[in-house]
């Protein structure tokens, strides 16, 4: 999975939604493995990439926000998790 992220980074660039897909997958894997801090890093970057897209570009901000909220909650960041779920 890490290799896929590296390939997408090389092919599409650091700010691409393709890279966001890899970050999301890796973040979810880390989350189920109990690697919360690493999951947070991936989910935060994935969310940032989705939120940074122009309005005319389809993104999955809701899914990225929901995934990040779950990981923030697991990390004990309840206020941030609530913000993301409200969004």
């Amino acid at each position: 999975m890490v290799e896929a992220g590296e390939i997408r980074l090389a092919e599409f660039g650091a700010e691409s939604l393709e890279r966001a897909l890899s970050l999301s997958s890796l973040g979810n894997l880390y989350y189920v493995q109990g690697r919360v801090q690493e999951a947070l890093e991936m989910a935060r970057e994935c969310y940032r990439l989705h939120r940074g897209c122009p309005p005319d570009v389809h993104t999955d901000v809701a899914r990225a926000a929901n995934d990040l909220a779950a990981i923030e909650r697991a990390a004990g960041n309840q206020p941030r998790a609530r913000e993301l779920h409200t969004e």
Side-chain angles (χ1 to χ4, degrees):
M1 209 171 284
V2 172
E3 185 178 337
E6 292 171 357
I7 291 169
R8 284 181 171 155
L9 175 61
E11 289 293 317
F12 300 105
E15 299 298 309
S16 68
L17 289 177
E18 289 82 2
R19 179 169 172 252
L21 289 171
S22 290
L23 293 168
S24 176
S25 296
L26 193 54
N28 287 326
L29 174 64
Y30 289 158
Y31 178 70
V32 299
Q33 291 177 337
R35 298 164 62 180
V36 176
Q37 283 307 119
E38 292 161 296
L40 271 174
E41 291 175 26
M42 300 298 112
R44 285 175 177 163
E45 180 65 1
C46 176
Y47 176 74
R48 183 192 71 77
L49 289 170
H50 280 283
R51 292 293 292 158
C53 284
D56 62 331
V57 174
H58 171 71
T59 70
D60 201 348
V61 175
R63 184 190 46 76
N66 185 66
D67 289 352
L68 178 55
I71 299 168
E72 291 281 6
R73 188 175 52 255
N77 303 328
Q78 302 303 327
R80 181 65 178 138
R82 275 192 291 278
E83 288 174 16
L84 290 160
H85 278 304
T86 300
E87 181 183 331

